[in-house]
């Protein structure tokens, strides 16, 4: 295999952002693509087999363009640019970056960061009901929240309703002190955190007092008809089939519904079927209902989270295949 050299010019003001502190991103690209890189005087010389040099050049050109658009390059950007370099969609990372959903209270743009997240956002725009299913860190709730707040600001809906089942994550918290709101707040804290970051505490509290933003446990949805609202059901894997049916039949005219959940993190009693699992089977072929299955490739938290999700996936698949083998032997 012939070895070639290629030189890429990097504007000085973007060099540190693209190469990382102490050239940490540069070294990661070197290790992944099996090329050698020499950074000097605003340029990078790439040495290696032509196929891998071309991939490294594509990755760097994409990262430089992201930096020129004002993005702070993160390890997630580098990892995703590298993964796309092995496909025919290596330029998609720039297309994704153009889609600004909303801005936080500090003015930071909120954008999809992976192809899966981009598909999720597009489904929310085009469908009345969307199921966003995937592991932790894929932005299911945060992106849905950003879309809801932007729709509310644009006047597309009159109010936002956020709900989730009030169920402990594998532990019993016992009797909680305080009034009813104090008792349910711990279960809804992740929703408050996202609202504060995107909308700001003052704006959220003002709209909450007027009844335009409601954060409530799922049990409060029974008997209501929700018109002209953006409704998000979070942690849907912890609903029962009856709860899910009750929730989905609350939808009124002019409303949009997002259901988010992680099928690998159920906190239901042992033997209880998840309402999310049943709904995905029953509703998958209905028009105007979209399903986006996010994967560990869409994880945008710390890179270690992606590795944890992958490790658990491998472990659970091994256990499932082992259980199937044990059942076959038992039948014999």
């Amino acid at each position: 295999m012939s070895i070639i050299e290629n030189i890429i010019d990097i504007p000085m003001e973007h060099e540190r952002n693209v190469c990382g502190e102490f050239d940490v991103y540069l070294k990661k690209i070197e290790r992944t693509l099996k090329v050698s890189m020499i950074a000097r005087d605003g340029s990078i010389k790439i040495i290696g087999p032509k196929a891998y040099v071309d991939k490294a050049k594509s990755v760097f050109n994409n990262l430089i363009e992201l930096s020129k658009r004002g993005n702070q390059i993160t390890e997630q950007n580098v990892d995703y640019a590298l993964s796309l370099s092995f496909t025919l969609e290596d330029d998609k990372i720039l297309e994704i970056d153009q889609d600004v959903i909303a801005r936080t209270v500090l003015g930071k743009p909120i954008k999809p960061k992976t192809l899966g997240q981009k598909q999720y956002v597009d489904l929310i725009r085009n469908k009345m009901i969307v199921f966003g299913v995937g592991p932790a860190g894929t932005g299911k709730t945060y992106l849905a929240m950003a879309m809801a707040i932007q729709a509310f600001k644009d006047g597309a809906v009159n109010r936002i309703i956020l709900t989730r089942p009030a169920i402990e994550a594998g532990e019993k918290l016992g009797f909680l002190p305080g009034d009813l709101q104090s008792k349910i707040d711990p279960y809804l804290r992740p929703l408050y955190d996202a609202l504060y970051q995107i909308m700001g505490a003052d704006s959220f509290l003002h709209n909450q007092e007027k009844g335009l933003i409601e954060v409530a446990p799922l049990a409060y949805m029974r008997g209501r008809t929700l018109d002209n609202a953006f409704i998000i059901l979070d942690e849907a894997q912890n609903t029962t089939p009856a709860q899910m049916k009750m929730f989905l039949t609350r939808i009124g005219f002019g409303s949009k519904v997002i259901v988010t959940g992680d099928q690998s993190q159920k906190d239901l009693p042992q033997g209880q079927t998840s309402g999310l699992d049943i709904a995905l089977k029953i509703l998958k072929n209905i028009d105007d209902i979209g399903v986006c299955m996010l994967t560990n490739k869409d994880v945008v938290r710390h890179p270690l989270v992606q590795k944890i999700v992958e490790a658990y996936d491998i472990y659970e698949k091994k256990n499932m295949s082992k259980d199937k083998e044990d059942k076959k032997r038992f039948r014999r």
Side-chain angles (χ1 to χ4, degrees), residues 243-274:
Q243 285 176 323
M244 180 62 79
K245 181 181 177 183
M246 177 275 290
F247 171 75
L248 292 173
T249 53
R250 301 305 94 203
I251 302 165
F253 292 101
S255 289
K256 188 177 286 284
V257 173
I258 313 300
V259 179
T260 71
D262 179 356
Q263 292 173 299
S264 69
Q265 295 197 36
K266 299 184 181 87
D267 299 310
L268 292 164
Q270 192 169 7
Q272 174 70 64
T273 304
S274 167

Side-chain angles (χ1 to χ4, degrees), residues 182-197:
S182 300
K183 293 178 193 295
I184 63 175
D185 275 355
Y187 301 102
L188 305 172
R189 178 52 52 189
L191 300 178
Y192 286 120
D193 291 344
L195 278 166
Y196 290 161
Q197 186 178 9

Side-chain angles (χ1 to χ4, degrees), residues 108-155:
K108 182 181 177 183
I110 300 172
K111 310 172 184 176
K113 294 183 179 179
T114 68
L115 290 172
Q117 288 191 352
K118 173 66 173 161
Q119 181 199 8
Y120 179 46
V121 168
D122 287 342
L123 279 173
I124 293 173
R125 289 185 176 122
N126 299 320
K127 301 286 186 179
M128 183 177 173
I129 300 175
V130 174
F131 288 85
V133 183
T138 49
K140 304 181 297 293
T141 304
Y142 191 76
L143 289 173
M145 199 78 76
M147 295 290 285
I149 292 169
Q150 195 57 46
F152 178 69
K153 288 180 177 177
D154 292 344

Side-chain angles (χ1 to χ4, degrees), residues 42-237:
S43 66
I44 292 178
K45 181 187 286 187
I46 309 172
I47 305 168
K50 183 179 186 310
Y52 290 105
V53 168
D54 289 344
K55 290 182 194 299
K57 185 177 178 182
S58 172
V59 168
F60 265 103
N61 284 335
N62 285 333
L63 293 178
I64 291 167
E65 182 58 33
L66 287 176
S67 183
K68 287 179 178 178
R69 294 180 185 182
N71 292 286
Q72 179 63 43
I73 303 300
T74 65
E75 192 171 350
Q76 188 273 332
N77 294 134
V78 178
D79 287 342
Y80 201 62
L82 280 167
S83 68
L84 288 181
S85 72
F86 289 94
T87 71
L88 297 175
E89 299 180 306
D90 55 327
D91 59 338
K92 292 286 186 180
I93 194 168
L94 300 179
E95 182 183 323
I96 295 167
D97 183 68
Q98 292 176 339
D99 191 354
V100 178
I101 301 166
R103 292 185 181 272
T104 67
V105 68
L106 298 176
K108 182 181 177 183
I110 300 172
K111 310 172 184 176
K113 294 183 179 179
T114 68
L115 290 172
Q117 288 191 352
K118 173 66 173 161
Q119 181 199 8
Y120 179 46
V121 168
D122 287 342
L123 279 173
I124 293 173
R125 289 185 176 122
N126 299 320
K127 301 286 186 179
M128 183 177 173
I129 300 175
V130 174
F131 288 85
V133 183
T138 49
K140 304 181 297 293
T141 304
Y142 191 76
L143 289 173
M145 199 78 76
M147 295 290 285
I149 292 169
Q150 195 57 46
F152 178 69
K153 288 180 177 177
D154 292 344
V157 294
N158 295 334
R159 55 185 172 151
I160 299 172
I161 298 172
L162 311 171
T163 185
R164 65 188 299 183
I167 184 169
E168 293 100 338
E171 56 186 315
K172 297 297 181 185
L173 299 179
F175 182 80
L176 295 173
D179 60 15
L180 185 60
Q181 192 63 41
S182 300
K183 293 178 193 295
I184 63 175
D185 275 355
Y187 301 102
L188 305 172
R189 178 52 52 189
L191 300 178
Y192 286 120
D193 291 344
L195 278 166
Y196 290 161
Q197 186 178 9
I198 300 171
M199 181 174 269
D202 291 341
S203 178
F204 163 64
L205 292 171
H206 173 70
N207 285 295
Q208 187 184 38
E209 286 172 5
K210 293 168 67 177
L212 300 178
I213 297 180
E214 182 181 343
V215 184
L218 182 59
Y220 283 26
M221 297 298 109
R222 187 173 293 281
R224 302 177 63 183
T225 301
L226 307 173
D227 292 322
N228 297 311
F230 202 116
I231 311 154
I232 299 174
L233 170 59
D234 193 32
E235 299 290 341
Q237 76 275 5

